[in-house]
Amino acid sequence: MKNIVVFASGGGSNAEKIMEHFSQNSTANIVAVFCNNSKAGVIEKAADFGVPVVVFNREQLDNGFVLRHLVAFNPYLIVLAGFLLKFPSDIITAYPHKVINIHPALLPKYGGKGMYGLHVHRAVLENKEQESGITIHYVDENYDEGNIIFQKGIAIEECLNPEEVAAKVLTLEHEHYPKVIEELLNN
Ligand code: GAR
């Protein structure tokens, strides 16, 4: 069984779908959730699945503390699911091609620093895009620039505000992220 560690910053609906998926599946074990916000909803969700949570701050992410704790969980794959801080290069170097992220838009458009959550969907609507979607990609040193693993688009013509786009895109995320992770583990 391969170990997965999930990094999340907020509500954790993707993390929840991933924990749910792998609780009924022997491909992988979600061994920990790492979270940079002690008030994040994902903490309670992890507890529901009996998954331990490591809470840390930005300084600990950058000074090697998080890497030291991560190593103890022996991760085969590190999954960013709504993780909003810049991922540090020491972890990327320690786990080459083992860190993946989901982005709520069709990269390379609408990526980069500051492009997260509703900021992304607002920009998509401002540009009058007819379609948005999801991108699952490897994480490298630059925001949202690693090699793309999977993309899926969805029509958003009828969406009136960023929240409606977010809801549509999130449905795609929930549907595909656990399956794409499973495929990666099987390859
Ligand atoms: C998701 O839409 C995810 O794609 C996005 O944050 C949301 C987290 O939702 N991530 C980014 O914007 C990263 N740049 P969740 O906490 O309910 O999974």
Side-chain angles (χ1 to χ4, degrees), residues 8-16 42 45 80-84 101-105 110 112 114-118 120-121 134-135 137 143-144 166 169-170 173-174 177:
S9 299
S13 70
N14 276 291
E16 184 177 28
V42 70
K45 289 180 174 142
L80 312 192
F83 185 65
L84 303 181
N101 179 46
I102 190 160
H103 186 77
Y110 307 108
M115 276 293 173
Y116 60 88
L118 286 179
V120 176
H121 307 304
I134 61 170
T135 304
H137 63 94
Y143 272 113
D144 304 324
V169 169
L170 203 57
E173 297 185 36
H174 295 167
Y177 207 11

Side-chain angles (χ1 to χ4, degrees), residues 58-162:
R58 194 187 286 256
E59 194 189 328
Q60 291 169 321
L61 182 63
D62 294 328
N63 69 11
F65 170 94
V66 171
L67 174 58
R68 280 199 303 282
H69 281 261
L70 187 60
V71 167
F73 287 98
N74 190 27
Y76 177 84
L77 192 67
I78 296 162
V79 171
L80 312 192
F83 185 65
L84 303 181
L85 298 181
K86 181 124 174 41
F87 211 64
S89 53
D90 60 349
I91 303 183
I92 297 168
T93 307
Y95 295 97
H97 269 85
K98 296 290 182 203
V99 185
I100 66 168
N101 179 46
I102 190 160
H103 186 77
L106 295 171
L107 293 173
K109 284 167 130 185
Y110 307 108
K113 194 167 162 45
M115 276 293 173
Y116 60 88
L118 286 179
H119 299 288
V120 176
H121 307 304
R122 207 168 284 128
V124 165
L125 277 186
E126 275 165 12
N127 281 343
K128 305 203 184 330
E129 298 281 2
Q130 303 293 297
E131 189 191 45
S132 191
I134 61 170
T135 304
I136 297 168
H137 63 94
Y138 288 105
V139 173
D140 70 10
E141 316 272 329
N142 302 316
Y143 272 113
D144 304 324
E145 286 184 14
N147 287 347
I148 291 173
I149 300 164
F150 176 89
Q151 288 190 301
K152 183 90 181 174
I154 192 163
I156 54 157
E157 298 118 335
E158 80 284 13
C159 291
L160 299 174
N161 54 51

Side-chain angles (χ1 to χ4, degrees), residues 44-55:
E44 216 173 288
K45 289 180 174 142
D48 290 344
F49 285 90
V51 173
V53 179
V54 177
V55 178

Side-chain angles (χ1 to χ4, degrees), residues 25-46:
N25 179 310
S26 57
T27 319
N29 213 0
I30 311 301
V31 289
V33 168
F34 277 57
C35 179
N36 61 298
N37 175 0
S38 60
K39 296 192 176 74
V42 70
I43 294 177
E44 216 173 288
K45 289 180 174 142

